[in-house]
Amino acid sequence: MIPFSILDLAPITEGSDASAAFANTLDLARLGEQLGYRRYWLAEHHNMPGIASAATAVLIGHVAGGTSTIRVGAGGVMLPNHAPLQVAEQFGTLAALYPGRIDLGLGRAPGTDQATMRALRRYADGAEAFPDDVLELLHYFEPARPGQAVRAVPGAGLDVPVWLLGSSLFSARLAAALGLPFAFASHFAPDAMDSALSIYRSEFRPSPRLAQPYAMLGINVVAADTDAEARRLFTTQQQSFINLRRGQPGLVPPPIDDIEAYWTPTEKLGVERALACAVVGGPATVRQGLADFIARHQPDELLLTANIFDHALRRRSFERAMQARAQLPG
């Protein structure tokens, strides 16, 4: 049965704050562990009022410390924002604290706007060096050699699975060339998904880290009692995308009854294209939608995300998604 995992951005909802978001993140991770989700990933974003996962490694430690079996990781760390040695030390520390449970997904985007990118200092110079930085980071996780001038302490010799993340063909080719697992951001940028999967699978070269290609796809899943209720819950995500495109990112908004009155026709087309990989509905709709998506794209794993305003309903959505998984063919 195909594994399901969870992607969380530690959403800060209107009327709430970061402390509540972190409590909800840990609560959802514990639920995911109970339900049988394989991984719980958190993503690096900056200067986003509704996303509290900027200090990704710190939050991963919080979640890993509050759970016991689920894998916890970054989906991902935006490597051009950081020195590879620092990332190796951070995730080496996490792997030493929580052996066999830490994943490191690496992205090439800044995870923010232009002004914040400049405030991060490193990204403008680091983006072009991404392939070399990935190789440097992988080197730090190898066992240290006698006389090695720079080593990650901790980090050297530790088992930290490294993934490449992407929404284009670039990271698909790089993951294939390096023999690394690949996660595609189809939950918000699906346009190149089919081409990226084809390139990754056809060009994959086995490595000591991975013998055969392994692709995980992101997908929005909002599950409720009825299709109508789920569509209403999904308006939270739709509003967030519109607000971001209007240059007005804010706290995560509550759902609304009439999304058509909120967006323009042009905005609607853009958001529906960005969120095309979404399964939204009651139990039967979700089950069929997941089955169709898996049959078409043949992922090795699904990474589910659900930007739902009410935490209790968000929990329930992930419960229903796992119930749907149990009823999938094969």
Side-chain angles (χ1 to χ4, degrees):
M1 187 178 295
I2 183 172
F4 278 15
S5 294
I6 295 174
L7 175 64
D8 182 21
L9 304 182
I12 306 176
T13 57
E14 291 183 10
S16 187
D17 57 24
S19 294
F22 295 145
N24 289 341
T25 283
L26 182 55
D27 180 68
L28 184 60
R30 287 170 170 164
L31 176 67
E33 184 171 79
Q34 295 168 10
L35 295 173
Y37 283 91
R38 175 170 289 185
R39 312 174 201 279
Y40 196 94
W41 279 10
L42 294 138
E44 177 186 346
H45 291 272
H46 299 279
N47 197 32
M48 300 286 287
I51 297 176
S53 53
T56 316
V58 177
L59 193 52
I60 289 169
H62 173 64
V63 172
T67 54
S68 57
T69 59
I70 194 169
R71 299 192 65 90
V72 188
V77 162
M78 301 299 107
L79 186 57
N81 294 337
H82 311 275
L85 176 61
Q86 292 175 311
V87 176
E89 291 169 340
Q90 291 169 2
F91 280 80
T93 299
L94 289 166
L97 288 168
Y98 310 105
R101 295 183 55 211
I102 300 300
D103 297 325
L104 173 55
L106 301 174
R108 189 168 63 107
T112 189
D113 57 80
Q114 292 290 322
T116 309
M117 183 185 78
R118 291 191 292 272
L120 289 167
R121 298 289 195 275
R122 184 181 150 79
Y123 179 82
D125 297 327
E128 294 301 320
F130 181 71
D132 291 335
D133 282 353
V134 172
L135 289 172
E136 181 182 344
L137 179 53
L138 292 173
H139 169 71
Y140 289 132
F141 287 133
E142 298 296 324
R145 300 172 181 174
Q148 182 173 323
V150 179
R151 63 182 67 187
V153 183
L158 294 182
D159 177 23
V160 182
V162 175
W163 294 64
L164 291 193
L165 317 181
S167 59
S168 68
L169 308 186
F170 180 92
S171 290
R173 285 198 168 95
L174 185 59
L178 298 180
L180 297 176
F182 178 56
F184 191 84
S186 35
H187 59 293
F188 72 88
D191 286 356
M193 173 175 55
D194 291 330
S195 297
L197 284 176
S198 177
I199 287 172
Y200 173 65
R201 288 165 173 161
S202 64
E203 297 183 6
F204 182 85
R205 299 176 184 175
S207 73
R209 288 179 169 268
L210 191 64
Q212 58 188 18
Y214 192 94
M216 178 161 61
L217 298 180
I219 184 170
N220 300 279
V221 178
V222 176
D225 286 335
T226 67
D227 288 0
E229 180 187 354
R231 286 193 297 268
R232 183 177 185 276
L233 295 179
F234 193 48
T235 62
T236 287
Q237 178 74 330
Q238 293 167 324
Q239 290 176 82
S240 294
F241 262 68
I242 295 165
N243 294 342
L244 182 61
R245 293 181 177 211
R246 289 175 178 173
Q248 301 169 343
L251 301 179
V252 175
I256 55 178
D257 293 326
D258 185 9
I259 190 65
E260 299 297 332
Y262 192 82
W263 55 22
T264 67
T266 300
E267 288 172 336
K268 177 180 180 178
L269 287 173
V271 172
E272 289 185 341
R273 181 172 179 177
L275 300 179
C277 291
V279 175
V280 179
T285 299
V286 168
R287 182 173 61 252
Q288 189 61 52
L290 288 169
D292 292 345
F293 186 84
I294 292 167
R296 177 180 175 186
H297 303 292
Q298 296 294 306
D300 298 292
E301 189 169 336
L302 283 185
L303 185 63
L304 278 61
T305 188
N307 194 8
I308 296 173
F309 180 82
D310 184 278
H311 181 64
L313 296 178
R314 190 169 183 236
R315 283 175 51 99
R316 188 71 183 114
S317 180
F318 280 105
E319 289 174 348
R320 289 189 172 99
M322 193 55 86
Q323 290 167 359
R325 174 178 175 267
Q327 299 170 8
L328 293 175

